[in-house]
Amino acid sequence: MTATGPQGQGQGQGLSSHPGLLAAGAAGCVSAICALWAMRGLPLGTGIFWLASFPLFAAGLGFGAASAAVAGLLALLLVAISAGGFGAIVYLVLFGAPAPLLVAAAQWSGQWSGPGGGRIGLSLPLALLGLWPLAVLFGATVVLADDGGLEGALRETLTLSLARLGLPAPEALVDTLVRVKAGAIGFWGAVALLANAGAAIAFLSRRGLLPVPKPDWTAVRLPNWYPLLPGAAFGLFLAAPEGGDLVALSALLVLLVPLFLQGLAGVHRRLQGRQGRRPMLVAFYLALVLFLQVIGPGLVALGLYDQFQRRQAPRQS
């Protein structure tokens, strides 16, 4: 049965007049399902888990940062009810907080004022892909200070993970993995956020739901002050005592991620308009996966080169 009369009409108009709220509700439910799918150990859970930020980006880029924030809060509540406090913290750190924050930064830096007004700013959001993991790293260091420290927590987690996989856990291997574990988490978290944001932009653009022009991410450039941060982290790493440089090294690694992504954008930009562009990109990404330790520093260097060589920031940066 449908509502009739002035009261029923008012209720229908109330729902239809808040599309951003409806989008936030739907996005929050879908995002929570993606996270809980993995937390419950269901098939394909790992892959689906990293898609949890896509609905938040879709709601935020389509209807504003407030929609992304409401969606994130709703999903956080659902995850807390179903998976407990630890699951809620994991969701908040990886998706619930950074996705709305990135949308707000894109909206603010692009002077996004509504449909057709402004653009999607990319410079500040790219910087936040390094600053947010850094904040989480420092927060975890403070919280875990009385429980063996960050190094102790990472060591225990890695030892348990290797034991569950039935793999040996020699001390030398554990020491090596502990040193790069925090940086690796920050790297993959940033890549997942960037990929989901790009997918949300493409999804909305194809359906005519993106209220501003689609950005050219290959022209992105970090803020001029950003390279000072990894430089300072590198200095702290060199000054840290032997055996006590885990936090400094982790901070350096997460702060290098935006420069790595800027170098990746530079590769795409240099291949624009070339014949055989797609096969070349496929070969490049295959080599990147196989030789990340070699190509990764090269992309960071390319990001730094583009940062200082291109003095004038492009319009879409």
Side-chain angles (χ1 to χ4, degrees):
M1 296 180 63
T2 58
T4 60
Q7 184 177 0
Q9 294 175 359
Q11 291 175 351
Q13 292 175 356
L15 290 174
S16 62
S17 62
H18 295 86
L21 185 59
L22 294 176
C29 292
V30 174
S31 181
I33 290 173
C34 291
L36 292 171
W37 192 277
M39 294 178 184
R40 296 298 183 184
L42 296 176
L44 303 177
T46 301
I48 295 175
F49 177 77
W50 291 106
L51 298 177
S53 62
F54 172 81
L56 306 183
F57 282 118
L61 293 169
F63 299 95
S67 292
V70 172
L73 289 174
L74 175 60
L76 180 64
L77 177 62
L78 294 175
V79 171
I81 293 173
S82 301
F86 180 75
I89 293 174
V90 172
Y91 178 86
L92 178 66
V93 168
L94 293 178
F95 313 117
L101 184 62
L102 288 170
V103 173
Q107 185 173 348
W108 177 79
S109 60
Q111 298 179 350
W112 178 356
S113 58
R119 56 186 174 83
I120 296 177
L122 299 179
S123 180
L124 183 57
L126 182 61
L128 287 175
L129 291 178
L131 295 177
W132 173 253
L134 182 67
V136 174
L137 173 68
F138 288 157
T141 302
V142 173
V143 171
L144 298 173
D146 297 331
D147 298 325
L150 179 63
E151 182 175 359
L154 292 174
R155 185 177 298 276
E156 181 179 358
T157 301
L158 282 170
T159 302
L160 291 175
S161 299
L162 292 174
R164 289 178 179 177
L165 294 174
L167 299 176
E171 191 68 20
L173 175 63
V174 174
D175 289 341
T176 301
L177 294 177
V178 164
R179 289 176 61 81
V180 299
K181 180 67 173 178
I185 294 174
F187 172 77
W188 290 115
V191 169
L193 289 170
L194 178 63
N196 281 292
I201 290 174
F203 175 82
L204 295 172
S205 180
R206 284 195 300 265
R207 289 157 178 79
L209 299 175
L210 192 65
V212 291
K214 187 178 179 180
D216 179 14
W217 78 277
T218 63
V220 67
R221 193 182 75 175
L222 285 161
N224 293 330
W225 47 263
Y226 186 85
L228 298 175
L229 300 180
F234 183 66
L236 292 175
F237 170 68
L238 294 178
E242 184 178 359
D245 58 354
L246 175 64
V247 175
L249 176 61
S250 300
L252 174 61
L253 292 177
V254 298
L255 286 173
L256 288 176
V257 170
L259 288 169
F260 171 90
L261 296 174
Q262 183 164 277
L264 202 61
V267 172
H268 279 257
R269 188 179 65 256
R270 286 167 172 83
L271 292 179
Q272 285 180 344
R274 293 178 177 268
Q275 291 184 348
R277 176 177 178 270
R278 289 190 177 182
M280 293 170 68
L281 284 175
V282 170
F284 168 74
Y285 277 104
L286 180 60
L288 179 61
V289 172
L290 295 176
F291 306 105
L292 179 61
Q293 293 181 340
V294 177
I295 300 179
L299 287 175
V300 171
L302 179 59
L304 281 170
Y305 173 81
D306 284 346
Q307 179 72 19
F308 293 107
Q309 179 67 19
R310 294 186 295 125
R311 298 293 183 181
Q312 297 298 323
R315 288 177 59 86
Q316 292 297 333
S317 68

